[in-house]
Structure formats: structure tokens, C-alpha cells
Amino acid sequence: MSAVDEAPVAAREDAALDRFRTLLRIPTMSRNDVELTDWEAFDSFIAALPGLYPAVHAALEREQHGRSLLYRWAGSAPTGRPTILMGHYDVVPATDEGWQHPPFAAEITGTGDGRVLWNRGTLDDKGAVVAILEAVERLLGEGFTPQEDVYLSFGHDEETVGTGAQAIVAALRERGIRPALVLDEGGAIVERIFPGVTRPIAVVGVSEKGITSVRLTVEQHGGHASTPPKLTATVRLARAITRLNAKPFPARLTETNLRMVETLGAHASGPLRAVFTRARRLQPLLRAVFGRLSDETRAIVRTTTAVTQLRGSLAANALPETAEAIVNVRIAVGSTVAETLEHIRRAVRDPQVRIEAVDASEPSPVSPSEGAEWDRVAGALAQVHPRAIVTPYIMLGASDSRHFTAIGDTVYRFTPFEMSTEERGTLHARDERIHVRTWLRGIEVYALLLRSS
């Protein structure tokens, strides 16, 4: 491509980047306490979209469900099997403290292909939302119309309770919509996560773990801290937590796990290649290997628990009458909420510790890792990232896509961005950022996927 040819491309990319930065600067922070949520920021985000994406808002129907948005792009010859591209524009809270660059300043460092954009939401998940809008706006400018209907679903409270996505699913179900393909956030293009594999790996989530908060509660007589009983409520609770931590859930390899190992093992080098390519016959060995490689691989093969909140006395010199712990539980595919609670009860072994699930969600059904819709995703990815190995996996986190399994059988979780280990570590943490070139390539993947609609 000549310098003359490159000029309009560079101008287009710079304009897209400016729009992205404009939306990133709007602090749409979700909070569990809705009274503390700045809803004006959400309204500002919604109000900014028509001016930034005029073609989208001229050609597509838009409706609101709460503050979540649903767009419909009418197809030229629809057969009732639409595509749904998803994302969410709310982000987890952030303050300036500890960030190298302010979390809502959308600052860029570096030059050329080394430019990096710093902001809360670049990876999770405004990056995907804006990349989808950019792809649609570009295709409309080229005069493209999909054959099938296309829906864009952008949630406003994915980081908390997901009411927007649930309302959109309810509306689509009432209209009899059964999508051929749903694509939400989830996996990414990563490197060096699998021993012996040096090529980039595109991990496409075909399911996701269940999620629940389990509350452990101990109630007993309080009193002055100067005369404590042998076993206070907090000590009993601490013992329960220690017992639970000492009894991890059993490791299991699901069909998706095995397929991932076989797919990646075929590209591995070194002594583990022989193990990975014989995954089905060597499952006990593989379970042990996954349990030792990293926190991520350990989480792939079992239900996990993490104590995230503790509550005791209201005063330093008073015995607590109620001691409480919240355990964040991610339930492995193949297990259930009921099975999880039974394991916790057996591990705690104390009838005076009340155990109850809060906001429980079962693991999602497993979507196929072959067939026309899988090939659409893999094909679009291959054109932009030809070296990437595409593999199914089970997503460890939770997303709004779990609600869409009620109306579709082919629900995938994949964001077409390259993410290093360090960058993945900024999700829900300080210094969240994305390489500008990575984000621009993501737009290309979405555009290719839409062209196959």
C-alpha cells in the first residue's frame, strides 16, 4: 500500500480512536448499591451515541430496556436466524489512586503501532462495544446490508446484576427470536498460557462456570471482649473457612477441557506433547498437571471458592453476635449449585454455621465447537490473525451471555483482542489498557463476522 493509499486509512483509524476515547471518558461505573451509582453518566453515554454514530442511528432501530440498549439491523432476506453481538458499557469503579494514568482520561502513550490507550473499560468491555459500533458504521458507509437480521445488545449493569440483559432476553423471547449466533465478551487472543505452545491462542468460550455467593453465618451470644468464650463466633467462622479451604473441590476434565487439550497439544513441543495428544487416556495425569501449572489452569478443572468479604463486631471491645463471610464460588461445568452447597456443608462440618446461596446461577449449557456458526467466528478470526490457534474453552468468569442461552444454542464468549498476561491482570484492577493496534484489529474481526451474516 502506498503512502497515498495509507492516508485515508490512517485518518479513519484516528477518527475511530477519537470516538472511542470520547466514550471511555464517560465514567459509567456500576455499583452494587444503586443509590451510589451516577446514572447521569450512563445517560450521557447513551446521549452521545447518535452524534458519534449517525449511520447506525439512521439505519438501525434502537430501544432501551432500563439503560441497556438493543439495536436491530434489518436484513435484506431474513430467515429468522439473526446474529446477536453483545457487550456492556458499564465498568467497575476506579479512582485515580495508584494508576499510572487517570482511569477516565483516555490517555495514549507511545507512538505508531506501539501506542497504548489507558482507561477503565478499554478491555472490559467498552472496547468491544465501541468496536462493534465502529464495524457497523463502516459497513453502512460502504452500502452493506446483512442478509439476516443483526441485533446489537449493550448492557448497562453486567458488572452487578445484569437486569438489562435479562430484560432484553425477555423481550426477544416474547417476539419469538431464536438467534443463530450470539457473541459476547469472554476469551481473547493470548500467548504462552499452554506449555509448549508458542503460537497465539484464541480461546473461544463455549460455556461459562456457574456463579454464586455463599454466605457463612455464625450467630451466638455477644458480650464484653474482656471475657470471651473459648469459641467466639469469629473463631467458629474462621474454622469453617479454614476447613473449606483445606478441602478443594475434585478436579474434572469435561469434554470441552479434553478438546482444548487435544487442539493445543497438537501444536505443542517438548515432553508434554505426548501427554496432551493422549488426553483421553491420561486424564488422571492431566488433572494433576492442570492443578499445578497455574491458578488459571487449576480453575479450569474444578469448582473454586474465594472468601471475599468478612463481617464481625461493630466495636473493637464487643464480642460479635453475628459473624459472616461471603464466599465467591465459581461452579464447574458438569456440577450444580446443589452439589456445591453439599460439598461446602461436608467441608465445614459444623451445624452452627449457617450456609446459604445468594444469587445462584447454574453453569451454562455447552455450545458446539464445530458447525456453521463456530466456523463463522473462526473464519473471521483467521483472516485477521492467521497464526492463531482457535480452541474452545470454558470461561471462568460470568457474563451477560449466560442469560441468552435461554433463547439460543450457539452462544460464544470471545473478544477479538490480543491480551498479554500483564494486560489480563488489569481487568477489574489498576492500569487497565489496550494497544491501539489491537483494538483496531478487533474492529476488522467484527466487520468480517457481520459480512457473513
Side-chain angles (χ1 to χ4, degrees):
M1 184 181 293
S2 68
V4 174
D5 293 331
E6 289 176 353
V9 173
R12 182 183 71 188
E13 291 178 346
D14 286 345
L17 186 58
D18 286 344
R19 289 187 286 269
F20 188 20
R21 296 174 74 187
T22 295
L23 292 171
L24 285 172
R25 291 185 180 114
I26 303 174
T28 50
M29 293 183 284
S30 270
R31 299 181 185 275
N32 287 312
D33 187 346
V34 295
E35 298 299 322
L36 299 177
T37 301
D38 177 12
W39 292 117
E40 288 186 6
F42 289 75
D43 295 337
S44 295
F45 183 93
I46 294 170
L49 294 176
L52 295 172
Y53 298 100
V56 168
H57 289 80
L60 277 64
E61 303 166 12
R62 188 179 92 171
E63 58 190 67
Q64 282 190 220
H65 296 267
R67 287 180 171 85
S68 289
L69 304 174
L70 179 65
Y71 293 82
R72 175 178 172 264
W73 190 1
S76 59
T79 63
R81 297 286 285 163
T83 292
I84 300 178
L85 299 184
M86 294 179 59
H88 64 89
Y89 70 93
D90 63 318
V91 301
V92 295
T95 65
D96 288 0
E97 183 180 356
W99 283 65
Q100 295 184 53
H101 303 274
F104 295 103
E107 292 184 3
I108 293 177
T109 59
T111 59
D113 285 348
R115 289 180 297 170
V116 177
L117 175 57
W118 302 69
N119 209 92
R120 172 65 85 222
T122 47
L123 297 176
D124 186 15
D125 185 38
K126 281 184 182 174
V129 169
V130 183
I132 291 168
L133 287 168
E134 288 290 336
V136 176
E137 186 82 1
R138 181 190 304 176
L139 292 175
L140 286 167
E142 296 171 0
F144 173 78
T145 301
Q147 177 177 313
E148 296 286 352
D149 286 355
V150 171
Y151 288 87
L152 313 180
S153 175
F154 301 143
H156 77 283
D157 60 353
E158 189 273 349
E159 296 292 2
T160 52
V161 291
T163 60
Q166 293 175 59
I168 287 172
V169 168
L172 293 175
R173 176 190 281 170
E174 187 175 333
R175 298 166 197 173
I177 303 298
R178 292 282 306 176
L181 170 67
V182 178
L183 183 65
D184 194 12
E185 64 171 336
I189 303 164
V190 297
E191 292 187 343
R192 308 216 176 260
I193 64 165
F194 200 81
V197 178
T198 57
R199 286 171 54 185
I201 302 169
V203 287
V204 179
V206 294
S207 180
E208 62 185 56
K209 283 185 160 185
I211 180 172
T212 184
S213 293
V214 174
R215 182 184 291 119
L216 308 181
T217 307
V218 178
E219 294 179 339
Q220 63 186 59
H221 182 69
H224 201 281
S226 62
T227 54
K230 184 176 181 180
L231 198 64
T232 64
T234 48
V235 171
R236 186 180 291 276
L237 180 64
R239 186 178 67 180
I241 292 170
T242 302
R243 286 176 175 176
L244 176 58
N245 196 57
K247 190 173 182 181
F249 284 75
R252 298 171 177 170
L253 285 168
T254 66
E255 177 61 29
T256 302
N257 295 148
L258 292 169
R259 185 154 188 167
M260 180 184 71
V261 171
E262 290 171 336
T263 299
L264 298 179
H267 299 274
S269 59
L272 285 176
R273 176 186 171 91
V275 176
F276 295 145
T277 53
R278 295 171 176 82
R280 294 176 192 277
R281 285 186 288 163
L282 299 174
Q283 290 192 48
L285 176 59
L286 271 176
R287 289 195 295 268
V289 168
F290 270 59
R292 294 188 180 96
L293 281 176
S294 69
D295 293 340
E296 284 186 333
T297 58
R298 189 160 49 250
I300 284 172
V301 296
R302 58 167 42 93
T303 295
T304 60
T305 60
V307 177
T308 54
Q309 293 177 300
L310 293 168
R311 183 171 65 87
S313 176
L314 297 176
N317 61 350
L319 295 174
E321 295 183 326
T322 301
E324 179 182 285
I326 298 296
V327 187
N328 186 269
V329 184
R330 304 300 172 114
I331 304 169
V333 171
S335 185
T336 63
V337 173
E339 184 177 83
T340 298
L341 290 174
E342 182 57 30
H343 176 99
I344 293 173
R345 291 188 185 100
R346 290 198 306 268
V348 170
R349 305 193 314 275
D350 188 342
Q352 293 189 55
V353 178
R354 188 167 71 247
I355 299 168
E356 55 189 331
V358 182
D359 297 326
S361 174
E362 301 284 359
S364 297
V366 180
S367 296
S369 51
E370 57 187 12
E373 305 312 324
W374 174 269
D375 291 343
R376 282 180 62 196
V377 176
L381 180 62
Q383 292 188 60
V384 181
H385 299 276
R387 292 191 66 248
I389 305 164
V390 183
T391 181
Y393 94 118
I394 293 171
M395 196 168 113
L396 304 180
S399 70
D400 273 344
S401 67
R402 69 187 186 275
H403 305 301
F404 283 74
T405 60
I407 60 172
D409 300 323
T410 313
V411 179
Y412 297 125
R413 300 134 177 108
F414 177 74
T415 310
F417 299 151
E418 300 139 293
M419 297 186 197
S420 68
T421 301
E422 184 180 3
E423 288 163 346
R424 295 201 308 277
T426 68
L427 292 164
H428 289 207
R430 294 169 178 166
D431 292 335
E432 186 177 349
R433 60 195 182 272
I434 192 170
H435 277 75
V436 171
R437 180 52 54 188
T438 287
W439 181 71
L440 293 170
R441 279 195 285 255
I443 297 172
E444 299 297 332
V445 175
Y446 284 124
L448 287 165
L449 189 62
L450 287 165
R451 285 190 178 279
S452 67
S453 298

